[in-house]
Amino acid sequence: MLLRLTLKDFVIVDQLEIDFSAGFSALTGETGAGKSILLDALSLALGERADPAFVREGCSRAEVSAEFSIDAALEHWLADKDLGGDPGTVLLRRLLDLEGKSRAYINGAQVTVGTLRELGAQLLEIHGQHASQALLKPAGQRELLDRYAGCDGPQGELTPVRQAWRELHRLETALAEAEKGEREIALQREALLWQLAELAELKPQPGEWEQLGEEQKRLAHARALIEGSQQASEALSQGDEALADRLSVIVQRLSPLVQVDPRLKDALELLQSAQIQLDEAASSLGHYAERLDLDPERLQDVEARVSALHAAARKLKQPAEQLPQLWLSLQQRLQQLEDSADLARLKQRITQAQADYRAKAAALTKKRKAAAKSLSDGVSSILPTLGMSGATLQVSLSAQPGSENGSDAIEFLFAGHAAAAPRALSRVASGGELSRVSLAVAVLAARANPVPSLIFDEADAGVGGAVAAVIGKLMRQLGQDRQVFCVTHLPQVAALAHQQYRVSKSSVGPSTRSRVDLLSKNERIDEIARMLGGEDITANTRKLARELLA
């Protein structure tokens, strides 16, 4: 669950650190106080798109950190990616500058935004206030059903369907190109074979060009290297004028003087250390000179190899160091052309790919059908509690031509009362009905989703009274076994929260700042009284607030 959120120079927040608890938390405050800022900050921390407008005016960058508690499965996930941190927790961090450039970190290690997003999807899910609009679009209905069914995750049935579709599409494109351009393929193949013949004779290896350059330089200057290292070794340790002997004399003279004046001790120890280093340097130079050989034959071989690689690079119009990669890419391209040229084999592979796609799409359809019934029944059972007696939702599946999303046409059908025939939700549902259906779907999706933290952004929009109390109870029920946040303007919902946070803003000189406070019991009474009656809090509104909290 979310333990702590830290913001710095984010929109109108200069510095903010909030600790969160388990259960159901309500986020309240006046319109425009900055509740959406918290959701934007969390979205950024979880890997969503970075917007330079998030950087507070007058600042060079914004910073968001979110700390979560995690289970053993996520600890293993992090360990597999060498991103482990303190046991039982993970820290996500995002930096954003004025140019829109961002950096992402997990437990202090820089990662791609994709990795951050993959982890974030396992930690927290946000049900936005515009979710009801997604219910009006076929793509939104499909995505919602797949999320409810668990088909859209890394291990879900949708991923293999998309992979199979892409492979089928690739093969079909290759067949179309092969049938149109057999002559062109033949010419390309001839050119590839010529280039491959040049490279196959040389067999260039990765890193070889750089290694040859180093060896050529060393062999070409071998005599100078040997003489120089030998002379240096002799100057250090051999002959009457050897530095090591002269230094030894100095040490011998100073050693008894230290007994007279201990202040010479530091200088003596430095000279003794220098003695050791001189001896090691002389030994190292001696060994280097002994190991280095004059090898004119090897130098000739290296220069011949360098010349051959350089000639091939010039002929193929490629840098010599890139010849190994070119050789590999040409082999792959030739294999692709040969696959394309073999039309019968290509058609056979397409037949196999079609069968593979149909099998995976059928598995996806089966999972969707089971989820569609569960979702239909679940939403239809919740709608009466939201003041929609007799209303039902039916998730309909029908066959359609295959695509990367499977072979199902998905449509949400809605009946506003018992006597009405189900019709397309986008055509018959009013705004109020749509928001309640959206809430029911979100609650069911949350129950089916193992994500430990959920945020509902004004999921109670367009309702009030007794329905609001039902929504509060639904949120509180969800909060029994996971962490739930709800941004709300309804006092009936806020009163049922385990804890309540108030978002407010104030002017400090020319700038506006936002803050978030965890409310005490008395502060909750005042805040809910404000939600009931506006800024003029009366004894009556306080009394009603106490009754709601009770």
Side-chain angles (χ1 to χ4, degrees):
M1 73 173 192
L2 178 63
L3 300 175
R4 182 176 294 108
L5 180 65
T6 304
L7 312 184
K8 184 177 181 181
D9 296 329
F10 189 85
V11 193
I12 59 173
V13 175
D14 55 352
Q15 189 94 23
L16 179 65
E17 183 174 301
I18 324 165
D19 293 325
F20 294 106
S21 304
F24 169 32
S25 298
L27 299 173
T28 63
E30 294 181 1
T31 300
K35 297 184 291 297
S36 62
I37 292 175
L38 295 180
L39 303 189
D40 289 338
L42 273 171
S43 296
L44 187 68
L46 296 172
E48 294 304 316
R49 185 180 66 87
D51 186 338
F54 289 154
V55 181
R56 192 164 72 97
E57 187 175 353
C59 300
S60 59
R61 73 176 190 182
E63 180 177 340
V64 178
S65 298
E67 184 180 1
F68 291 84
S69 62
I70 57 174
D71 58 16
L74 272 181
E75 284 192 344
H76 289 312
W77 186 92
L78 291 167
D80 288 343
K81 297 180 181 298
D82 294 325
L83 296 172
D86 293 336
T89 64
V90 63
L91 181 65
L92 282 59
R93 184 165 168 253
R94 192 94 177 266
L95 302 180
L96 171 65
D97 64 22
L98 288 170
E99 297 179 357
K101 297 177 182 177
S102 72
R103 284 175 288 167
Y105 300 86
I106 296 175
N107 285 332
Q110 189 164 357
V111 297
T112 65
V113 173
T115 300
L116 190 67
R117 191 180 300 118
E118 185 180 352
L119 175 60
Q122 302 175 72
L123 294 170
L124 184 144
E125 183 174 276
I126 298 176
H127 295 269
Q129 58 179 299
H130 302 297
S132 60
Q133 299 305 310
L135 288 175
L136 300 177
K137 302 174 183 178
Q141 294 177 354
R142 174 186 53 76
E143 290 170 3
L144 196 149
L145 176 62
D146 284 343
R147 188 162 61 249
Y148 176 76
C151 299
D152 62 344
Q155 307 301 321
E157 288 78 3
L158 191 56
T159 296
V161 166
R162 288 177 171 168
Q163 291 171 342
W165 174 259
R166 284 194 289 267
E167 175 64 9
L168 175 59
H169 182 68
R170 185 188 71 80
L171 292 170
E172 289 175 338
T173 301
L175 177 61
E177 290 178 353
E179 291 175 337
K180 285 192 302 182
E182 289 182 274
R183 173 59 183 163
E184 178 64 25
I185 289 173
L187 292 174
Q188 289 184 36
R189 186 173 181 275
E190 184 178 343
L192 284 170
L193 287 172
W194 169 78
Q195 292 174 302
L196 282 167
E198 290 283 333
L199 292 169
E201 185 176 348
L202 282 175
K203 294 182 174 61
Q205 301 301 312
E208 180 185 14
W209 179 256
E210 293 79 3
Q211 293 171 2
L212 287 170
E214 292 175 3
E215 188 176 5
Q216 183 185 31
K217 181 190 289 187
R218 187 171 63 252
L219 289 169
H221 296 84
R223 185 177 299 280
L225 291 170
I226 292 173
E227 290 176 355
S229 56
Q230 286 177 337
Q231 289 170 0
S233 177
E234 290 171 1
L236 291 175
S237 63
Q238 299 176 25
D240 294 337
E241 297 298 317
L243 289 176
D245 292 339
R246 293 166 65 186
L247 184 57
S248 178
V249 171
I250 295 171
V251 169
Q252 290 173 3
R253 288 177 180 174
L254 281 178
S255 293
L257 297 179
V258 171
Q259 305 299 323
V260 178
D261 189 348
R263 288 179 295 176
L264 290 172
K265 181 179 179 182
D266 289 345
L268 178 62
E269 288 177 349
L270 288 171
L271 289 170
Q272 289 171 334
S273 176
Q275 269 188 302
I276 296 171
Q277 293 179 16
L278 276 177
D279 290 341
E280 291 179 350
S283 176
S284 176
L285 287 166
H287 287 309
Y288 175 81
E290 290 172 3
R291 290 196 301 269
L292 203 60
D293 293 327
L294 291 172
D295 192 346
E297 292 183 1
R298 176 58 186 163
L299 177 60
Q300 187 176 1
D301 291 342
V302 169
E303 289 179 337
R305 179 65 175 173
V306 168
S307 178
L309 290 170
H310 183 69
R314 188 172 62 251
K315 189 181 296 184
L316 297 171
K317 298 180 180 179
Q318 288 284 330
E321 62 270 20
Q322 293 184 13
L323 290 179
Q325 181 58 38
L326 176 64
W327 189 22
L328 177 62
S329 65
L330 290 176
Q331 290 172 325
Q332 292 172 342
R333 177 58 182 157
L334 179 62
Q335 183 61 52
Q336 290 174 351
L337 288 180
E338 288 178 346
D339 287 345
S340 299
D342 189 349
L343 298 184
R345 181 169 177 269
L346 195 53
K347 290 177 181 178
Q348 183 181 10
R349 291 178 64 188
I350 288 174
T351 300
Q352 293 171 344
Q354 288 172 335
D356 181 53
Y357 172 78
R358 285 194 298 268
K360 288 172 178 172
L364 176 60
T365 298
K366 182 178 179 181
K367 186 78 170 284
R368 282 173 170 169
K369 284 183 176 178
K373 184 178 187 313
S374 172
L375 184 60
S376 299
D377 293 345
V379 170
S380 297
S381 68
I382 291 176
L383 289 178
T385 68
L386 298 176
M388 299 174 66
S389 179
T392 58
L393 181 77
Q394 179 182 335
V395 181
S396 170
L397 271 70
S398 58
Q400 69 172 13
S403 72
E404 66 173 353
N405 295 312
S407 54
D408 306 308
I410 297 166
E411 187 174 26
F412 283 28
L413 306 176
F414 175 71
H417 52 86
R423 296 176 60 191
L425 177 69
S426 59
R427 294 183 180 180
V428 299
S430 66
E433 289 172 332
L434 189 61
S435 65
R436 298 184 199 191
V437 171
S438 174
L439 175 61
V441 169
V443 168
L444 281 175
R447 289 174 179 170
N449 195 330
V451 174
S453 297
L454 304 164
I455 295 180
F456 292 88
D457 183 14
E458 298 191 21
D460 50 18
V463 300
V467 175
V470 173
I471 293 172
K473 291 176 181 177
L474 287 172
M475 298 293 166
R476 193 173 179 93
Q477 288 171 4
L478 284 174
Q480 297 301 321
D481 57 3
R482 68 184 74 193
Q483 188 182 42
V484 176
F485 298 93
C486 181
V487 177
T488 182
H489 289 287
L490 297 179
Q492 297 92 333
V493 174
L496 284 163
H498 294 104
Q499 51 270 329
Q500 184 173 348
Y501 297 84
R502 180 179 58 214
V503 183
S504 58
K505 67 178 180 181
S506 60
S507 296
V508 181
S511 63
T512 301
R513 296 179 180 176
S514 183
R515 59 178 292 171
V516 181
D517 296 295
L518 174 63
L519 302 182
S520 66
K521 182 177 180 180
N522 287 334
E523 288 171 332
R524 285 190 75 180
I525 292 172
D526 286 346
E527 175 65 4
I528 291 175
R530 181 198 63 77
M531 297 170 74
L532 285 164
E535 290 301 322
D536 295 329
I537 301 174
T538 66
N540 286 334
T541 55
R542 277 199 176 92
K543 179 182 178 183
L544 184 53
R546 290 191 187 92
E547 291 174 357
L548 285 175
L549 284 168

